[in-house]
Amino acid sequence: MPEQKRIYLDYAATTPMLDVAQQACLDGFAHWANPSSPHADGRAAGSTLENARKRLKSALDWDGEVIFTSGASEAIAMALKQTKPARQYVSPIEHDVVLRFSEGAAAIPVDLNGLVVPMRLNHMLKSEKESALVVVQSVNNETGVMQDMEALAKVARDRGAILMADCSQSAGKMPLPDADMIVIAGHKFGGPPGVGALLIKDLNLLHAHGGQEQGYRSGTQNLPYIMAMVAALEAPANWAGRATELRAHLDNAIKTEGGAIIAENAPRIATIGSYHMPGVAANTQLIKFDMAGFSVSAGSACSSGTLKPSHVLEAMGVDEATAREVIRVSIGRDTTRAQIYDFIEQWKSIFSASRKG
């Protein structure tokens, strides 16, 4: 009996590498010299690295500086630990990595939809006499909620603050916000894991700390992965309309069957949906979906293996019982209508069985 083909709906955790990214990575292995070496081989690798940097800036329409990193986590740590402003303001719905590296930061309140309210941020920054660092995720990795980055950027500018936007979930899918520092992760848009970048308007915002990347990072650049990440960014991204249609169909079906959509009234990216199945623990759902051949998650992929409730849902005011019954479904460029229909049928089956039991 042929093995059932699995249906992957966890693109917010990581995406499969695009063919063009895989080929670019293989091409990159031919540039085996250290880009920092002064000899001819090193200079050739360095030239390829700088060409990749230019291409990335062009693909993202970014006119600032680019510091290549080993991924979003390193870029976040760099922005938070090497930043010059001493005072930091961080929303409580940021990725776990941000919260880990911003201990002692002031928490920016969010409303019941998981949105940072610009007026509240403005009020908090009023008393600051020196420049502060404001950290806000452009698209939440658990709920898909999109922040009003234009309004938040205006508040930051008016108050002389520095804005850092974690764009791990949005880069390559929507335009970059007007932020002073931006974090991207290659594996979120079809590149390889283990590579990312910190985009920064002015390098003087950071304390220099390292030998590579203009003195702001230590470690030999991973040229093959950088080339692959850039190739993934340059690949046509013409599937947004289909993702919107698929997510809308999924939302409607789950509501019809008695489920609920987290942050339903907030603007949400088309690729992420967070859903509540009343009375069925998220871990139980994950097991049943996995056994049926579906890959989904509960909250962040970095913390979904834990039993603690989502800090994102807690900050939004979702009660603990409900939060423990929420899973995340995320759509990618390879997701089909048939896969979404199959998932809906499985969701209905799990929910129906729970009510009979």
Side-chain angles (χ1 to χ4, degrees), residues 153-216:
K154 184 178 186 307
V155 170
R157 281 195 304 271
D158 290 347
R159 292 296 175 186
I162 304 302
L163 178 62
M164 189 201 96
D166 178 4
C167 295
S168 298
Q169 294 293 343
S170 61
K173 304 180 184 75
M174 53 193 291
L176 296 181
D178 179 19
D180 299 287
M181 291 189 281
I182 290 174
V183 170
I184 68 170
H187 72 112
K188 301 295 188 180
F189 48 76
V195 65
L198 176 64
L199 314 185
I200 184 166
K201 285 186 176 178
D202 184 356
L203 288 171
N204 288 320
L205 295 174
L206 299 180
H207 293 287
H209 180 69
Q212 284 79 20
E213 292 300 285
Q214 302 182 66
Y216 290 88

Side-chain angles (χ1 to χ4, degrees), residues 25-326:
C25 189
L26 291 174
D27 294 343
F29 288 132
H31 301 277
W32 45 266
N34 189 323
S36 299
S37 297
H39 47 62
D41 294 315
R43 293 197 304 273
S47 176
T48 301
L49 176 69
E50 294 312 311
N51 181 55
R53 201 185 308 272
K54 290 178 183 178
R55 289 166 54 202
L56 183 139
K57 291 167 67 172
S58 177
L60 291 174
D61 195 23
W62 177 253
D63 60 2
E65 304 289 342
V66 174
I67 301 174
F68 288 119
T69 66
S70 62
S73 294
E74 185 191 0
I76 287 167
M78 183 180 295
L80 290 170
K81 293 300 184 182
Q82 293 176 222
T83 186
K84 290 184 177 178
R87 184 67 165 155
Q88 297 180 359
Y89 290 81
V90 176
S91 87
I93 57 171
E94 298 300 301
H95 192 281
D96 284 340
V97 173
V98 172
L99 301 182
R100 192 181 315 141
F101 286 111
S102 61
E103 188 175 352
I108 311 169
V110 297
D111 65 16
L112 296 178
N113 288 311
L115 290 166
V116 175
V117 182
M119 287 181 61
R120 292 186 183 180
L121 176 60
N122 183 61
H123 180 74
M124 293 181 75
L125 292 174
K126 268 184 180 181
S127 59
E128 287 296 334
K129 294 181 174 58
E130 297 182 1
S131 180
L133 177 68
V134 175
V135 181
V136 178
Q137 196 178 33
S138 62
V139 171
N140 186 264
N141 55 296
E142 293 189 25
T143 64
V145 169
M146 300 188 297
Q147 299 293 338
D148 185 349
M149 297 304 295
E150 183 178 353
L152 296 176
K154 184 178 186 307
V155 170
R157 281 195 304 271
D158 290 347
R159 292 296 175 186
I162 304 302
L163 178 62
M164 189 201 96
D166 178 4
C167 295
S168 298
Q169 294 293 343
S170 61
K173 304 180 184 75
M174 53 193 291
L176 296 181
D178 179 19
D180 299 287
M181 291 189 281
I182 290 174
V183 170
I184 68 170
H187 72 112
K188 301 295 188 180
F189 48 76
V195 65
L198 176 64
L199 314 185
I200 184 166
K201 285 186 176 178
D202 184 356
L203 288 171
N204 288 320
L205 295 174
L206 299 180
H207 293 287
H209 180 69
Q212 284 79 20
E213 292 300 285
Q214 302 182 66
Y216 290 88
R217 177 187 185 265
S218 295
T220 302
Q221 296 95 335
N222 189 339
L223 185 54
Y225 277 27
I226 289 170
M227 292 173 64
M229 174 173 67
V230 172
L233 275 176
E234 293 174 333
N238 52 6
W239 50 280
R242 178 167 52 83
T244 300
E245 175 194 338
L246 295 179
R247 220 281 311 282
H249 185 74
L250 180 56
D251 285 357
N252 292 334
I254 285 181
K255 283 177 61 178
T256 299
E257 294 302 320
I261 303 164
I262 300 299
E264 181 180 7
N265 297 318
R268 294 175 294 137
I269 196 168
T271 52
I272 298 176
S274 190
Y275 303 105
H276 175 221
M277 184 184 289
V280 186
N283 283 348
T284 300
Q285 294 181 57
L286 295 186
I287 291 170
K288 290 184 179 296
F289 278 119
D290 191 38
M291 291 176 62
F294 295 87
S295 296
V296 293
S297 67
S300 168
C302 301
S303 60
S304 59
T306 68
L307 295 177
K308 64 180 181 180
S310 161
H311 70 274
V312 172
L313 300 183
E314 181 182 6
M316 293 169 59
V318 177
D319 65 88
E320 184 175 333
T322 298
R324 291 185 181 276
E325 297 171 349
V326 173

